[in-house]
Amino acid sequence: MRVIATGLLVAMALVFLLASRYQAYHPGVGYVRAFAEAAMVGGLADWFAVTALFRHPLGLPIPHTAIIPRNKDRIGETLAAFLRDNFLIPSVVARRMRSVDVAGAAGRFLANPAPEGRLREGASRLLADLLESLDQERLGGMVKAAISARLQALEISPLLGKTLEAAMTDERHVPILDSIVTWAGRTLDANEDVIRKMVHTRANLLLRLAGLDEKLAEGIIDGLRKLTIDMAIDEKHPFRAKAEEALAILAWDMQHDPAMRAKVEGWKAEVIANPAVGEWVGELWENSRAGLLKAARDPQAALAGRFGEALKQLGETLQSDVRLNAALNQFARRTAAGAVATYGGGIVKLVSETVRGWDAETVTLRLEGAVGRDLQYIRINGTLVGGLVGVTLYALDKL
């Protein structure tokens, strides 16, 4: 645009020279000469004005030129004050935020996320970078400490008692009793020699000489085997009833007996203090972190699976629940206004100090690059308008 404006000015100068030479040949040439003469004056005047904004015309230190470089600090302060007085005001931000449906936009994105795009990729990359930037040793210790503290604060005795009581009410304990009876029978079969040896060792000399210790051991084994078989077949066996009664008492004691509750809590504390439990919690966190990191690195998987379904339900809720939508929008509005109230001064200071830190050439180039095209149009318009004014005055003079 600078080349076009300068070229137009040069063209007017050439027209002026030609018209001055051949003006005597025809009266109309005078009008052309008047147009070109006034166009040169208008073009030169606007060239001087435009150039004076950014630098000294022809390098001459003419007063009131190079206006922007000389006043860059004041420009930065004025720009910062303009932002502060017209934009960075909590009331202005809050009023603007009333027309922005943050909750609805978030709900629409979560309910129907784009299959690909910068938002999904950016969220995936941000989550992955966040997970990778965390101190794993310190974070793992924090996770283990948090889980340990949570387990220490949780009184599990009443919880176990209620769970056992509910299981017995729904008869979910029956398979457990069946498993115990089956285990007892298999243990008996696997340890017949141990029982015979114990009976033989404890029998007196008379029983050994008579060979009755073998019969006694066989009788004990047969009796125990019959007991386990009967308990497995008969659900109303007295021993099973006794076992169920013992379980019911245990469930009640774990909920209401202070001594039993203290004993269970002691067992819990011993389990938590076991180093193996700490290692298990650490491995659990590392596996979870690795899974999260793998999912985060894949933009397609970041919003997929059960997590994606949960986010989709959340998005639908944000769109359908009027009260939740209003509450989140109010929170976003208050957050934005609060951020402006808290950090608005810092933003204004950042703008003014940034402009003050630029050198004069940088300020000139940036502002000229932003508005220079329109300024060159001013030169073109000045050339044409000057020519029209000149030819009009020439015509009036002739009339």
Side-chain angles (χ1 to χ4, degrees):
M1 292 306 301
R2 184 185 292 115
V3 170
I4 293 174
T6 304
L8 182 60
L9 179 60
V10 172
M12 290 299 102
L14 293 175
V15 171
F16 173 74
L17 293 175
L18 292 174
S20 298
R21 182 173 182 178
Y22 297 106
Q23 184 175 2
Y25 292 93
H26 192 278
V29 178
Y31 289 91
V32 176
R33 181 180 183 277
F35 179 90
E37 182 179 14
M40 284 194 300
V41 173
L44 286 170
D46 285 341
W47 166 82
F48 182 90
V50 170
T51 304
L53 286 173
F54 302 102
R55 56 186 61 85
H56 297 296
L58 301 177
L60 302 175
I62 303 173
H64 303 292
T65 58
I67 296 173
I68 290 177
R70 288 191 300 106
N71 296 276
K72 68 180 185 67
D73 293 346
R74 185 161 56 90
I75 291 173
E77 294 174 358
T78 303
L79 179 60
F82 178 77
L83 290 174
R84 182 186 63 241
D85 297 338
N86 295 277
F87 296 96
L88 300 179
I89 300 176
S91 59
V92 174
V93 174
R95 184 167 57 252
R96 179 69 181 89
M97 289 293 293
R98 288 194 185 98
S99 61
V100 180
D101 186 11
V102 177
R108 288 189 293 273
F109 171 74
L110 293 176
N112 298 291
E116 57 184 13
R118 288 185 298 174
L119 185 58
R120 179 190 283 268
E121 294 176 359
S124 174
R125 186 168 57 253
L126 176 62
L127 180 58
D129 292 343
L130 179 62
L131 289 173
E132 289 181 335
S133 65
L134 296 176
D135 187 338
Q136 297 310 312
E137 183 176 352
R138 180 179 300 177
L139 185 60
M142 291 173 59
V143 170
K144 289 191 288 186
I147 295 177
S148 177
R150 184 62 179 172
L151 291 176
Q152 291 284 4
L154 177 64
E155 189 177 4
I156 64 171
S157 182
L159 180 62
L160 293 176
K162 290 179 181 179
T163 303
L164 179 58
E165 185 178 22
M168 294 183 67
T169 301
D170 297 337
E171 294 188 351
R172 293 197 300 271
H173 68 296
V174 174
I176 298 177
L177 288 178
D178 292 338
S179 299
I180 293 174
V181 172
T182 302
W183 172 82
R186 291 177 178 175
T187 303
L188 177 63
D189 294 338
N191 293 275
E192 289 185 9
D193 294 339
V194 177
I195 295 175
R196 289 189 175 93
K197 186 176 181 180
M198 289 176 59
V199 173
H200 179 76
T201 302
R202 294 177 180 273
N204 55 35
L205 182 60
L206 183 60
L207 291 176
R208 293 177 187 175
L209 293 175
L212 296 177
D213 57 336
E214 287 290 335
K215 293 184 178 181
L216 179 59
E218 196 67 34
I220 292 173
I221 293 172
D222 290 342
L224 291 175
R225 183 178 291 110
K226 183 176 183 303
L227 176 62
T228 57
I229 294 173
D230 291 343
M231 290 179 64
I233 296 175
D234 186 6
E235 294 184 357
K236 299 187 180 298
H237 194 278
F239 275 19
R240 289 179 71 104
K242 285 291 184 181
E244 292 183 352
E245 182 180 351
L247 289 176
I249 294 173
L250 177 61
W252 191 92
D253 288 345
M254 285 193 294
Q255 296 180 68
H256 306 289
D257 185 14
M260 176 58 72
R261 293 173 64 170
K263 187 181 294 185
V264 173
E265 291 303 312
W267 294 338
K268 181 194 73 176
E270 292 178 1
V271 171
I272 295 175
N274 193 314
V277 175
E279 293 178 2
W280 174 77
V281 173
E283 292 176 359
L284 180 65
W285 159 246
E286 286 300 325
N287 292 335
S288 301
R289 175 184 168 276
L292 287 173
L293 192 57
K294 181 179 178 181
R297 288 197 180 104
D298 184 3
Q300 300 300 325
L303 297 179
R306 294 183 178 179
F307 181 65
E309 289 296 325
L311 290 179
K312 183 176 182 180
Q313 293 180 4
L314 175 61
E316 294 174 350
T317 303
L318 287 176
Q319 296 181 78
S320 60
D321 193 329
V322 179
R323 294 180 59 185
L324 179 60
N325 186 288
L328 284 180
N329 282 332
Q330 184 182 35
F331 173 76
R333 186 165 58 250
R334 290 180 176 177
T335 301
V340 168
T342 304
Y343 303 107
I347 297 174
V348 170
K349 186 177 180 181
L350 173 66
V351 172
S352 62
E353 290 184 352
T354 300
V355 175
R356 186 180 294 111
W358 289 343
D359 57 82
E361 184 179 359
T362 300
V363 175
T364 301
L365 291 176
R366 293 196 177 188
L367 291 180
E368 191 174 16
V371 299
R373 187 178 182 86
D374 293 326
L375 294 177
Q376 300 307 317
Y377 272 117
I378 291 177
R379 290 180 56 191
I380 295 173
N381 292 336
T383 302
L384 298 177
V385 171
L388 292 175
V389 172
V391 75
T392 301
L393 292 177
Y394 182 82
L396 290 175
D397 179 67
K398 289 297 182 180
L399 290 175

